Amino acid sequence: TDVSLYERGRPDYSEESVEFLLNRVGALPSDKQEPIKLLEIAAGTGKFTRALVRVLTAKKANVKVIASDSQEVMCDLFRRIVPSIEILRFPAENIGKS
């Protein structure tokens, strides 16, 4: 498959929806002492990740984002588009197995 088509065809995520989700899971507010680790499953090309990072940066949240995807081709494109975020290759059902 052509992952560039996937990247162009996927809609962007609004920062408002991402902030709502982060509030619901307790990743905000930004005054937490202990860092939180968030694992994004099936990150694809990083569309959601990019919105997530923008919101976390704006809120000065103490959160480390780690992404994952099961397809190497997606991981490769993710690394090119979002080089500042670590991405691991594994299917969701293998979380914690290594």
XYZ file of all heavy atoms in Angstrom:
766
model
N 0.833 -1.193 0.000
C 0.000 0.000 0.000
C 0.867 1.241 0.000
O 1.990 1.232 0.492
C -0.926 0.031 1.232
O -0.117 0.014 2.404
C -1.890 -1.129 1.219
N 0.334 2.297 -0.525
C 1.039 3.576 -0.577
C 0.671 4.364 0.676
O -0.418 4.925 0.769
C 0.646 4.325 -1.846
C 1.417 5.613 -2.019
O 2.120 6.039 -1.077
O 1.320 6.208 -3.103
N 1.582 4.424 1.655
C 1.278 5.092 2.917
C 1.156 6.597 2.764
O 0.532 7.251 3.595
C 2.290 4.737 4.029
C 2.157 3.285 4.408
C 3.695 5.084 3.641
N 1.714 7.157 1.695
C 1.542 8.591 1.488
C 0.076 8.902 1.191
O -0.432 9.956 1.585
C 2.450 9.110 0.372
O 2.092 8.544 -0.875
N -0.637 8.004 0.532
C -2.081 8.181 0.314
C -2.826 8.123 1.644
O -3.757 8.889 1.877
C -2.623 7.111 -0.633
C -2.155 7.184 -2.077
C -2.683 5.991 -2.877
C -2.588 8.492 -2.721
N -2.413 7.219 2.491
C -3.010 7.108 3.826
C -2.809 8.414 4.593
O -3.744 8.947 5.183
C -2.370 5.939 4.576
C -2.856 5.759 5.987
C -3.986 4.989 6.255
C -2.190 6.343 7.051
C -4.435 4.827 7.561
C -2.639 6.186 8.357
C -3.757 5.417 8.601
O -4.201 5.263 9.892
N -1.603 8.948 4.551
C -1.279 10.197 5.245
C -2.125 11.347 4.710
O -2.680 12.131 5.481
C 0.214 10.507 5.104
C 0.635 11.888 5.551
C 0.465 12.169 7.031
O 0.312 11.233 7.837
O 0.458 13.353 7.395
N -2.243 11.454 3.396
C -3.017 12.552 2.801
C -4.514 12.378 3.019
O -5.243 13.361 3.155
C -2.726 12.660 1.306
C -1.366 13.238 1.014
C -1.208 13.629 -0.448
N -1.585 12.594 -1.393
C -0.735 11.739 -1.968
N 0.548 11.804 -1.696
N -1.164 10.838 -2.814
N -4.994 11.153 3.053
C -6.430 10.893 3.147
C -7.007 10.958 4.546
O -8.207 11.202 4.714
N -6.189 10.740 5.552
C -6.683 10.770 6.927
C -6.961 12.203 7.352
O -6.157 13.094 7.110
C -5.655 10.183 7.890
C -5.379 8.720 7.726
C -6.356 7.852 8.410
N -6.393 8.175 9.835
C -7.315 7.738 10.652
N -8.253 6.973 10.218
N -7.293 8.070 11.921
N -8.071 12.430 8.027
C -8.337 13.797 8.517
C -7.431 14.134 9.701
O -6.929 13.246 10.390
C -9.800 13.728 8.960
C -10.020 12.287 9.295
C -9.133 11.506 8.353
N -7.230 15.425 9.912
C -6.488 15.884 11.082
C -7.394 15.814 12.307
O -8.617 15.775 12.186
C -6.008 17.329 10.888
C -4.914 17.428 9.836
O -4.131 16.477 9.699
O -4.867 18.472 9.159
N -6.795 15.802 13.474
C -7.531 15.807 14.735
C -7.528 17.220 15.293
O -6.494 17.890 15.284
C -6.880 14.854 15.743
C -6.993 13.413 15.331
C -6.040 12.829 14.508
C -8.067 12.642 15.752
C -6.150 11.503 14.119
C -8.178 11.309 15.367
C -7.226 10.747 14.548
O -7.331 9.447 14.161
N -8.658 17.662 15.799
C -8.709 18.999 16.388
C -8.012 18.979 17.746
O -8.072 17.982 18.478
C -10.155 19.467 16.555
O -10.774 18.796 17.626
N -7.359 20.068 18.062
C -6.693 20.169 19.356
C -7.707 20.138 20.494
O -7.419 19.626 21.567
C -5.813 21.411 19.394
C -4.623 21.261 18.462
C -3.693 22.448 18.444
O -3.743 23.287 19.360
O -2.892 22.520 17.496
N -8.920 20.637 20.245
C -9.969 20.611 21.269
C -10.357 19.177 21.630
O -10.522 18.854 22.803
C -11.213 21.376 20.789
C -11.005 22.855 20.625
C -10.327 23.243 19.297
O -10.191 22.395 18.388
O -9.903 24.397 19.198
N -10.473 18.316 20.623
C -10.830 16.925 20.906
C -9.706 16.195 21.635
O -9.950 15.390 22.537
C -11.217 16.179 19.626
O -10.119 16.081 18.744
N -8.469 16.505 21.278
C -7.316 15.885 21.939
C -7.236 16.362 23.390
O -7.015 15.556 24.304
C -6.006 16.193 21.177
C -4.803 15.691 21.945
C -6.056 15.583 19.785
N -7.437 17.655 23.611
C -7.414 18.181 24.979
C -8.522 17.550 25.821
O -8.306 17.195 26.988
C -7.559 19.696 24.967
C -7.421 20.308 26.339
C -7.434 21.826 26.328
O -7.266 22.446 25.262
O -7.608 22.399 27.423
N -9.701 17.381 25.250
C -10.808 16.728 25.950
C -10.401 15.320 26.380
O -10.590 14.928 27.535
C -12.052 16.673 25.055
C -13.195 15.928 25.659
C -14.047 16.544 26.567
C -13.428 14.596 25.333
C -15.107 15.851 27.136
C -14.473 13.896 25.902
C -15.325 14.518 26.806
N -9.818 14.561 25.464
C -9.380 13.199 25.766
C -8.307 13.188 26.856
O -8.387 12.391 27.796
C -8.850 12.519 24.501
C -8.278 11.120 24.693
C -9.341 10.152 25.165
C -7.633 10.633 23.409
N -7.330 14.072 26.748
C -6.260 14.128 27.750
C -6.810 14.475 29.137
O -6.351 13.925 30.142
C -5.193 15.141 27.334
C -4.320 14.722 26.160
C -3.470 15.887 25.680
C -3.459 13.526 26.518
N -7.792 15.347 29.191
C -8.436 15.644 30.470
C -9.160 14.425 31.015
O -9.096 14.132 32.208
C -9.403 16.824 30.327
C -8.702 18.156 30.435
O -7.896 18.373 31.340
N -8.982 19.042 29.508
N -9.843 13.698 30.150
C -10.607 12.511 30.577
C -9.708 11.404 31.127
O -10.107 10.690 32.042
C -11.441 11.964 29.419
C -12.542 12.871 28.930
C -13.668 12.972 29.872
N -14.327 11.678 29.972
C -15.402 11.451 30.656
N -15.982 12.418 31.301
N -15.923 10.256 30.719
N -8.505 11.257 30.570
C -7.600 10.195 31.034
C -6.672 10.662 32.148
O -5.857 9.896 32.642
C -6.780 9.560 29.887
C -7.692 8.944 28.846
C -5.819 10.554 29.266
N -6.796 11.932 32.545
C -6.001 12.439 33.656
C -4.594 12.866 33.309
O -3.753 13.010 34.201
N -4.306 13.074 32.030
C -2.964 13.511 31.633
C -2.779 15.015 31.808
O -1.665 15.502 31.793
C -2.701 13.127 30.184
N -3.846 15.744 31.978
C -3.816 17.177 32.260
C -4.489 17.355 33.610
O -5.331 16.556 33.986
C -4.556 17.972 31.177
C -3.992 17.853 29.763
C -4.875 18.627 28.793
C -2.561 18.352 29.678
N -4.189 18.306 34.407
C -3.431 19.526 34.154
C -1.930 19.287 34.164
O -1.464 18.182 34.431
C -3.842 20.436 35.310
C -4.128 19.492 36.427
C -4.723 18.272 35.759
N -1.200 20.364 33.943
C 0.239 20.266 33.737
C 1.058 20.296 35.028
O 2.266 20.236 34.974
C 0.688 21.415 32.836
O 0.378 22.650 33.452
N 0.435 20.362 36.185
C 1.189 20.515 37.431
C 1.548 19.189 38.105
O 1.926 19.162 39.258
C 0.428 21.411 38.405
C -0.934 20.839 38.774
O -1.344 19.819 38.180
O -1.587 21.425 39.644
N 1.433 18.092 37.394
C 1.768 16.788 37.963
C 3.277 16.689 38.172
O 4.057 17.065 37.313
C 1.281 15.673 37.058
C -0.236 15.645 36.912
C -0.673 14.392 36.213
C -2.153 14.367 35.945
N -3.010 14.593 37.051
N 3.671 16.180 39.323
C 5.090 16.026 39.643
C 5.718 14.864 38.877
O 6.778 15.000 38.297
C 5.272 15.808 41.155
C 4.829 16.982 41.988
C 5.722 18.188 41.774
O 6.906 18.057 41.553
N 5.139 19.370 41.829
N 5.067 13.712 38.936
C 5.587 12.517 38.262
C 5.225 12.560 36.781
O 4.086 12.851 36.431
C 4.979 11.256 38.886
C 5.432 10.981 40.299
C 6.917 10.680 40.380
O 7.421 9.891 39.551
O 7.581 11.228 41.268
N 6.182 12.260 35.923
C 5.853 12.224 34.501
C 4.889 11.078 34.193
O 4.922 10.027 34.837
C 7.200 12.008 33.813
C 8.107 11.479 34.864
C 7.569 11.946 36.186
N 4.031 11.290 33.240
C 3.091 10.274 32.774
C 3.617 9.755 31.441
O 4.105 10.524 30.613
C 1.694 10.883 32.576
C 1.122 11.360 33.898
C 0.747 9.894 31.903
C -0.161 12.153 33.748
N 3.500 8.453 31.226
C 3.841 7.873 29.932
C 2.541 7.485 29.240
O 1.704 6.812 29.827
C 4.720 6.635 30.076
C 6.127 6.957 30.475
C 6.980 5.708 30.459
C 8.394 6.030 30.876
N 9.235 4.836 30.895
N 2.392 7.930 28.009
C 1.245 7.567 27.189
C 1.732 6.719 26.031
O 2.664 7.110 25.322
C 0.551 8.803 26.629
C -0.228 9.684 27.573
C -0.826 10.866 26.821
C -1.333 8.894 28.257
N 1.101 5.573 25.833
C 1.403 4.718 24.696
C 0.268 4.851 23.695
O -0.873 4.531 24.002
C 1.553 3.255 25.118
C 1.715 2.249 23.975
C 2.988 2.520 23.179
C 1.696 0.831 24.519
N 0.590 5.344 22.525
C -0.398 5.424 21.454
C -0.314 4.145 20.635
O 0.741 3.801 20.101
C -0.135 6.639 20.560
C -1.148 6.761 19.461
C -0.882 7.888 18.501
O 0.085 8.653 18.689
O -1.655 7.997 17.537
N -1.417 3.444 20.545
C -1.478 2.175 19.818
C -2.000 2.442 18.404
O -2.947 3.202 18.222
C -2.390 1.177 20.559
C -1.799 0.914 21.949
C -2.547 -0.118 19.767
C -2.702 0.135 22.855
N -1.365 1.816 17.425
C -1.742 1.965 16.011
C -1.603 3.426 15.581
O -2.529 4.026 15.039
C -3.145 1.421 15.744
N -0.438 3.994 15.805
C -0.188 5.411 15.534
C -0.176 5.752 14.055
O -0.326 6.924 13.699
C 1.143 5.827 16.164
N -0.010 4.764 13.209
C 0.004 5.044 11.771
C 1.102 6.026 11.414
O 2.253 5.856 11.801
N 0.746 7.073 10.703
C 1.724 8.064 10.263
C 1.884 9.205 11.252
O 2.656 10.127 11.010
C 1.345 8.631 8.886
O 0.073 9.281 8.999
C 1.281 7.534 7.834
N 1.146 9.173 12.352
C 1.331 10.157 13.409
C 0.396 11.351 13.379
O 0.677 12.367 14.010
N -0.727 11.256 12.682
C -1.662 12.388 12.646
C -2.132 12.751 14.059
O -2.094 13.911 14.460
C -2.876 12.069 11.765
C -2.565 12.042 10.301
C -3.154 13.231 9.631
C -2.871 13.176 8.155
N -3.538 14.229 7.440
N -2.593 11.754 14.810
C -3.055 12.018 16.172
C -1.880 12.433 17.051
O -2.003 13.339 17.874
C -3.756 10.792 16.762
C -4.239 11.009 18.157
C -5.385 11.750 18.400
C -3.542 10.498 19.235
C -5.832 11.970 19.704
C -3.975 10.711 20.532
C -5.130 11.445 20.760
N -0.745 11.787 16.861
C 0.443 12.090 17.660
C 0.823 13.560 17.556
O 1.153 14.198 18.554
C 1.638 11.229 17.205
O 1.235 9.882 17.060
C 2.796 11.334 18.170
N 0.787 14.097 16.362
C 1.158 15.499 16.158
C 0.217 16.433 16.918
O 0.669 17.385 17.557
C 1.192 15.836 14.671
C 2.422 15.219 13.995
C 2.382 15.400 12.501
N 1.828 14.144 11.957
C 1.382 13.991 10.732
N 1.366 14.994 9.880
N 0.934 12.828 10.322
N -1.081 16.155 16.873
C -2.036 16.970 17.629
C -1.805 16.788 19.124
O -1.853 17.753 19.895
C -3.465 16.588 17.257
N -1.532 15.573 19.543
C -1.265 15.271 20.941
C -0.064 16.069 21.451
O -0.128 16.704 22.508
C -1.007 13.768 21.075
C -0.735 13.185 22.434
C -1.953 13.314 23.337
C -0.349 11.718 22.294
N 1.016 16.073 20.701
C 2.227 16.798 21.092
C 1.964 18.302 21.155
O 2.429 18.976 22.076
C 3.399 16.450 20.150
C 4.580 17.379 20.357
C 3.817 14.997 20.348
N 1.206 18.827 20.206
C 0.894 20.267 20.231
C 0.142 20.639 21.506
O 0.464 21.621 22.167
C 0.074 20.669 19.001
C 0.884 20.776 17.735
C 0.114 21.439 16.611
N -1.149 20.793 16.286
C -1.291 19.802 15.411
N -0.233 19.330 14.766
N -2.472 19.286 15.163
N -0.849 19.831 21.872
C -1.638 20.120 23.078
C -0.777 19.961 24.325
O -0.788 20.820 25.213
C -2.892 19.220 23.161
C -3.579 19.358 24.504
C -3.853 19.549 22.026
N -0.013 18.891 24.413
C 0.823 18.661 25.588
C 1.858 19.774 25.754
O 2.122 20.218 26.873
C 1.517 17.298 25.492
C 0.594 16.090 25.615
C 1.350 14.809 25.261
C -0.014 15.999 27.003
N 2.424 20.219 24.650
C 3.407 21.307 24.698
C 2.743 22.602 25.148
O 3.274 23.308 26.017
C 4.070 21.483 23.325
O 4.723 20.254 22.975
C 5.085 22.602 23.339
N 1.595 22.912 24.589
C 0.886 24.147 24.953
C 0.488 24.149 26.431
O 0.515 25.184 27.085
C -0.352 24.321 24.076
N 0.137 22.980 26.962
C -0.290 22.866 28.359
C 0.891 22.613 29.300
O 0.694 22.472 30.509
C -1.304 21.733 28.506
C -2.583 21.947 27.733
C -3.334 23.123 28.290
C -4.643 23.323 27.552
N -5.408 24.432 28.091
N 2.096 22.510 28.733
C 3.302 22.231 29.518
C 3.115 20.987 30.396
O 3.522 20.954 31.561
C 3.688 23.440 30.360
C 4.061 24.653 29.529
C 4.443 25.819 30.405
C 4.969 26.975 29.625
N 4.047 27.759 28.886
N 2.488 19.991 29.818
C 2.204 18.753 30.544
C 3.460 17.908 30.674
O 4.294 17.858 29.763
C 1.119 17.963 29.832
N 3.589 17.246 31.802
C 4.726 16.385 32.093
C 4.399 14.969 31.590
O 4.142 14.064 32.372
C 4.997 16.393 33.603
C 6.328 15.767 33.948
O 7.113 15.425 33.076
N 6.575 15.614 35.239
N 4.387 14.817 30.258
C 3.961 13.569 29.623
C 4.979 13.153 28.577
O 5.425 13.971 27.778
C 2.572 13.737 28.952
C 2.167 12.473 28.226
C 1.519 14.119 29.985
N 5.341 11.882 28.608
C 6.195 11.300 27.560
C 5.294 10.447 26.678
O 4.583 9.571 27.165
C 7.300 10.449 28.162
C 8.142 9.742 27.106
C 9.246 8.934 27.724
C 9.979 8.070 26.733
N 10.678 8.697 25.678
N 5.330 10.716 25.383
C 4.526 9.961 24.422
C 5.412 8.939 23.735
O 6.511 9.253 23.277
C 3.907 10.903 23.369
C 3.139 10.105 22.316
C 3.004 11.929 24.038
N 4.917 7.715 23.674
C 5.546 6.636 22.918
C 4.477 6.120 21.971
O 3.331 5.924 22.371
C 6.041 5.500 23.832
C 7.039 6.037 24.856
C 6.657 4.372 23.007
C 7.366 5.065 25.967
N 4.833 5.935 20.723
C 3.880 5.467 19.723
C 4.189 4.016 19.359
O 5.303 3.533 19.568
C 3.949 6.354 18.489
N 3.189 3.358 18.801
C 3.397 2.003 18.307
C 2.546 1.779 17.064
O 1.518 2.420 16.870
C 3.020 0.969 19.379
O 1.622 0.948 19.576
N 3.011 0.875 16.235
C 2.237 0.421 15.084
C 2.749 -0.960 14.714
O 3.906 -1.294 14.985
C 2.370 1.381 13.892
C 1.204 1.212 12.930
O 1.244 0.291 12.081
O 0.228 1.979 13.045
N 1.897 -1.752 14.107
C 2.288 -3.120 13.759
C 2.977 -3.207 12.399
O 3.617 -4.211 12.096
C 1.063 -4.037 13.764
O 0.127 -3.614 12.778
N 2.868 -2.170 11.583
C 3.417 -2.213 10.229
C 4.712 -1.405 10.132
O 4.734 -0.221 10.468
C 2.400 -1.662 9.236
C 1.119 -2.470 9.186
C 0.165 -1.892 8.171
O 0.582 -1.450 7.101
N -1.107 -1.891 8.491
N 5.745 -2.045 9.639
C 7.043 -1.372 9.515
C 6.967 -0.164 8.589
O 7.577 0.865 8.845
C 8.119 -2.349 9.018
C 9.516 -1.776 9.063
C 9.976 -1.376 10.464
O 9.659 -2.094 11.431
O 10.637 -0.331 10.603
N 6.184 -0.267 7.511
C 6.066 0.845 6.572
C 5.456 2.071 7.263
O 5.865 3.209 7.003
C 5.277 0.427 5.305
C 3.826 0.112 5.612
C 5.407 1.464 4.214
N 4.508 1.868 8.153
C 3.923 2.977 8.910
C 4.956 3.543 9.885
O 5.080 4.763 10.031
C 2.677 2.538 9.675
C 1.505 2.258 8.801
S 0.901 3.758 8.017
C -0.653 3.168 7.408
N 5.667 2.674 10.559
C 6.704 3.125 11.501
C 7.771 3.949 10.783
O 8.214 4.975 11.309
C 7.343 1.932 12.202
S 6.258 1.051 13.341
N 8.159 3.515 9.599
C 9.177 4.255 8.840
C 8.697 5.660 8.495
O 9.440 6.638 8.680
C 9.547 3.506 7.552
C 10.360 2.255 7.812
O 10.924 2.124 8.930
O 10.425 1.403 6.906
N 7.470 5.782 8.003
C 6.949 7.099 7.661
C 6.749 7.943 8.920
O 7.050 9.131 8.935
C 5.640 6.990 6.873
C 5.082 8.307 6.341
C 6.116 9.065 5.510
C 3.819 8.062 5.528
N 6.271 7.322 9.992
C 6.106 8.024 11.264
C 7.437 8.633 11.693
O 7.492 9.796 12.088
C 5.596 7.056 12.332
C 5.347 7.693 13.675
C 4.074 8.047 14.068
C 6.395 7.932 14.555
C 3.836 8.638 15.308
C 6.182 8.517 15.783
C 4.894 8.866 16.168
N 8.505 7.848 11.631
C 9.831 8.342 12.041
C 10.276 9.549 11.221
O 10.930 10.438 11.733
C 10.866 7.223 11.929
C 10.747 6.184 13.001
C 11.822 5.105 12.877
N 11.537 4.005 13.765
C 11.004 2.843 13.383
N 10.741 2.610 12.101
N 10.763 1.902 14.270
N 9.899 9.572 9.947
C 10.262 10.717 9.099
C 9.415 11.946 9.422
O 9.915 13.066 9.407
C 10.113 10.351 7.620
C 11.182 9.392 7.138
C 11.253 9.299 5.623
N 10.028 8.849 4.989
C 9.730 7.574 4.710
N 10.581 6.621 5.023
N 8.618 7.278 4.105
N 8.138 11.735 9.724
C 7.227 12.856 9.969
C 7.324 13.365 11.401
O 7.237 14.573 11.645
C 5.775 12.446 9.632
C 5.649 12.148 8.136
C 4.792 13.536 10.043
C 4.306 11.565 7.743
N 7.493 12.451 12.359
C 7.516 12.820 13.786
C 8.792 12.274 14.431
O 8.741 11.395 15.289
C 6.265 12.269 14.522
C 6.100 12.940 15.877
C 5.002 12.404 13.707
N 9.941 12.793 14.039
C 11.204 12.216 14.517
C 11.450 12.378 16.018
O 12.255 11.645 16.589
C 12.267 12.955 13.706
C 11.629 14.230 13.296
C 10.163 13.925 13.134
N 10.756 13.287 16.650
C 10.981 13.530 18.084
C 10.279 12.525 18.990
O 10.535 12.498 20.194
C 10.530 14.941 18.452
O 9.131 15.076 18.230
N 9.416 11.684 18.430
C 8.657 10.715 19.225
C 9.125 9.306 18.896
O 9.224 8.923 17.723
C 7.138 10.838 18.951
C 6.630 12.236 19.281
C 6.353 9.776 19.723
C 6.723 12.625 20.736
N 9.401 8.548 19.931
C 9.798 7.147 19.764
C 8.606 6.342 19.260
O 7.489 6.500 19.738
C 10.256 6.598 21.115
C 10.604 5.131 21.108
C 10.986 4.597 22.482
O 10.733 5.282 23.493
O 11.519 3.480 22.534
N 8.849 5.462 18.273
C 7.812 4.547 17.821
C 8.359 3.132 17.866
O 9.504 2.872 17.480
C 7.253 4.894 16.421
C 6.069 3.975 16.093
C 8.328 4.851 15.367
C 5.177 4.459 14.978
N 7.542 2.233 18.375
C 7.897 0.822 18.494
C 7.005 0.025 17.554
O 5.830 0.338 17.390
C 7.684 0.354 19.932
C 8.390 1.172 21.010
C 7.951 0.712 22.390
C 9.895 1.056 20.852
N 7.568 -1.018 16.978
C 6.784 -1.848 16.062
C 6.336 -3.113 16.780
O 7.157 -3.949 17.160
C 7.606 -2.217 14.832
C 6.791 -3.048 13.864
C 7.569 -3.350 12.602
N 6.769 -4.169 11.750
C 6.991 -5.459 11.539
N 8.006 -6.060 12.083
N 6.189 -6.138 10.749
N 5.034 -3.210 16.994
C 4.426 -4.431 17.507
C 2.921 -4.327 17.379
O 2.370 -3.238 17.441
C 4.833 -4.716 18.969
C 4.421 -3.638 19.945
C 3.155 -3.614 20.504
C 5.321 -2.649 20.317
C 2.794 -2.628 21.402
C 4.959 -1.662 21.211
C 3.690 -1.658 21.761
N 2.255 -5.460 17.212
C 0.792 -5.424 17.225
C 0.284 -5.210 18.645
O 0.948 -5.575 19.615
C 0.388 -6.789 16.684
C 1.592 -7.646 16.783
C 2.789 -6.764 16.892
N -0.861 -4.605 18.770
C -1.425 -4.269 20.088
C -1.520 -5.485 21.001
O -1.291 -5.377 22.201
C -2.795 -3.616 19.926
N -1.817 -6.624 20.441
C -1.973 -7.817 21.288
C -0.646 -8.281 21.894
O -0.625 -9.123 22.800
C -2.654 -8.957 20.544
C -1.948 -9.409 19.300
C -2.421 -8.694 18.036
O -3.048 -7.631 18.139
O -2.133 -9.210 16.953
N 0.473 -7.694 21.447
C 1.785 -8.064 21.990
C 2.352 -7.030 22.953
O 3.549 -7.034 23.224
C 2.783 -8.299 20.852
C 2.487 -9.562 20.082
O 1.674 -10.385 20.498
N 3.114 -9.713 18.946
N 1.517 -6.142 23.474
C 2.006 -5.153 24.438
C 2.631 -5.885 25.616
O 2.049 -6.807 26.183
C 0.858 -4.244 24.920
C 0.407 -3.327 23.803
C 1.302 -3.413 26.136
C -0.793 -2.491 24.152
N 3.823 -5.471 25.954
C 4.507 -6.047 27.105
C 5.300 -7.310 26.805
O 6.010 -7.807 27.660
N 5.211 -7.814 25.606
C 5.991 -9.003 25.241
C 7.254 -8.567 24.524
O 7.209 -7.751 23.619
C 5.183 -9.928 24.310
C 3.949 -10.494 24.953
C 3.217 -11.350 23.961
C 1.924 -11.865 24.559
N 1.149 -12.636 23.586
N 8.380 -9.093 24.914
C 9.616 -8.834 24.167
C 10.591 -9.941 24.366
O 10.564 -10.709 25.221
C 10.298 -7.540 24.534
O 9.811 -6.831 25.583
